[in-house]
Structure formats: C-alpha cells, structure tokens
Amino acid sequence: MIIKYPKNTLGKDYICSDIHGHFHLLQAELEKIGFDERRDRLFSLGDLIDRGDESHLTLDWLAKPWFFAIQGNHERMLINTVETKSEMLFRQWMMWGGDWAEDLDFSGLHPYYAAFSQLPIAIQIQLDNENSVGLIHAELPDESDWDYISNLLLSVDPKKVESTLEVQDLLWSKRQPLMEPEKRSQIKEVKNIKHVFHGHTIVEGYLTIANRTFMDLGSYNTGKIGVICLSDFF
C-alpha cells in the first residue's frame, strides 16, 4: 500500500494533480514543460478517472514506464463496486462521475479493477541521501509522522483498505484546505519527510500549509491540471 522510489538520476520528477479523465489537458501540459519520456518520471496524485470522457485511457497511461500513480477515492469507488458487486455502490459511483463506465458490466470493469487495486495509497520519492517527499491523495492528520503512516500502510490488508478511519481520511478527507487561514496553524509539519503533496480538494492555486502542498486545480471544472517539478519546487 506504499511504494518507495529511488532518486531519479537521469532526469526530472514531476507531480500531477487529479486528472479525472482529461488526459488531453495533461498531455498538453507535458508538452509545454518539455517532459522527456526517456529520462523524466511523472507521479499522479490519484483520481485518474471519472467526470471526463477520456477515463477509458487510464489503462494506456498506467502502462507507460514513466507514469506512476496512487489510488484516489474515485479509483477506490470502482474497486469497491467490483469487489462487492453491489448495485447500490455502482449507482453511487455513477452519481459521482462514473457515468463513462455506465454501459460496462462487472467483467468489463475488471481490467480497471485489476490495475487500480495494484496502485498504492502512498508513494515516497527519494530526493537525495537525506530527503524524500510523499504523495497522499487527500490529507494526513493535523499532526502526523510519515514513518507512522508508512508502517500503517504496510500493515493494511489490500482488501480492507477503508476499514480504519485513518486510512479512509488519506483517500476522502478534505477539511484542511478549506479551513479559514487563521485556523491553519493547527496543521503541523509532517515529521520524517521533507514535504507531502496532495490532490482531492480543488484549490485556486497551489496551497502550501506547513510542509504540505495541495495542488488539485479542478481539471473537470477549470481545464487546468497542476504539474509541479520537484527540482524546481525546492
């Protein structure tokens, strides 16, 4: 449920926010920044699917050797639907943007399930010998320790990802970016990690609180996908 990647010694590492089936926006952004598929890596903060009619392209992107992703709550909805075969969960997912898959039966959803269920909840990327950054779709507790989160995810049964509130919040919570600025001081720096990047909650521009940056620019509403180059960020 957590994957750690070594330092990229060939090129640059980029983080992108929620794509939501708008891969043409991501492709345009990569062309604008001069992304080099031979050397660079791109890490997604999840929510690859839903609310966009290019959601079916997700499997093609996950097959690219330089593209890596964590689970978002929208991948989780598809996973839960297939695992439970619940018509109620299927309809709830449709209401939250899954209508691109409305004509697929459970067997048609299985290739997406197989790919999404292999995605981690968190990614850690090494920057140098001493520093690394973390990726979490939604948010971490106001006071958090990355080592604790890592150990928690290592202990999670992939079939029971949302069995604890702590892990649910990593996928679903959207409280912190919506706080009044004067209340954000209660959000402390995440220990044992240089920085953590988040998607999930739409912000007008990149929002950094302590050592946490929220970067979902609302692709399906605004036509913008956040892309940050790690070597330029620090």
Side-chain angles (χ1 to χ4, degrees), residues 13-191:
D13 283 339
Y14 294 87
I15 312 296
C16 74
S17 62
D18 307 34
I19 300 166
H20 278 303
H22 288 71
F23 287 98
H24 70 284
L25 297 177
L26 177 59
Q27 185 62 54
E29 192 66 26
L30 295 182
E31 291 172 3
K32 185 165 65 176
I33 62 178
F35 184 87
D36 187 340
E37 297 181 3
R38 299 166 300 173
R39 299 178 176 86
D40 300 336
R41 301 185 297 191
L42 178 62
F43 295 87
S44 163
L45 289 166
D47 279 5
L48 307 171
I49 59 168
D50 298 348
R51 298 175 176 161
D53 57 11
E54 295 170 344
S55 294
H56 65 284
L57 297 178
T58 299
L59 299 183
D60 295 337
W61 278 76
L62 287 174
K64 298 180 185 295
W66 44 264
F67 183 76
F68 310 93
I70 58 176
Q71 288 183 33
N73 60 303
H74 283 261
E75 283 77 42
R76 199 70 227 165
M77 284 190 280
L78 185 151
I79 291 170
N80 291 342
T81 295
V82 173
E83 287 186 347
T84 62
K85 291 185 170 52
S86 165
E87 190 66 26
M88 181 189 72
L89 290 182
F90 180 80
R91 290 301 160 196
Q92 287 179 344
W93 172 39
M94 292 298 105
M95 291 174 59
W96 285 97
D99 51 346
W100 63 274
E102 190 170 14
D103 294 331
L104 297 178
D105 57 17
F106 287 114
S107 63
L109 290 174
H110 194 269
Y112 299 94
Y113 167 78
F116 296 164
S117 59
Q118 296 301 308
L119 298 179
I121 302 298
I123 280 176
Q124 181 175 320
I125 308 167
Q126 199 72 25
L127 299 178
D128 52 43
N129 290 335
E130 298 181 355
N131 296 299
S132 57
V133 299
L135 310 185
I136 292 287
H137 178 63
E139 61 188 29
L140 294 165
D142 291 354
E143 296 191 35
S144 188
D145 185 318
W146 186 259
D147 288 347
Y148 171 80
I149 295 298
S150 297
N151 290 330
L152 172 65
L153 291 176
L154 287 171
S155 69
V156 167
D157 182 344
K159 294 288 187 180
K160 299 178 181 178
V161 166
E162 294 171 283
S163 61
T164 66
L165 181 60
E166 283 181 300
V167 179
Q168 281 186 42
D169 283 350
L170 304 184
L171 290 161
W172 289 93
S173 184
K174 49 172 43 181
R175 179 179 52 86
Q176 294 166 345
L178 304 179
M179 279 183 175
E180 296 295 329
E182 62 270 16
K183 295 182 180 180
R184 291 175 185 161
S185 60
Q186 72 186 56
I187 304 171
K188 308 302 182 184
E189 288 207 351
V190 182
K191 298 176 182 177

Side-chain angles (χ1 to χ4, degrees), residues 202-206 216-217 224:
I202 296 176
V203 290
E204 290 186 10
Y206 302 143
D216 180 7
L217 301 183
K224 299 177 182 177

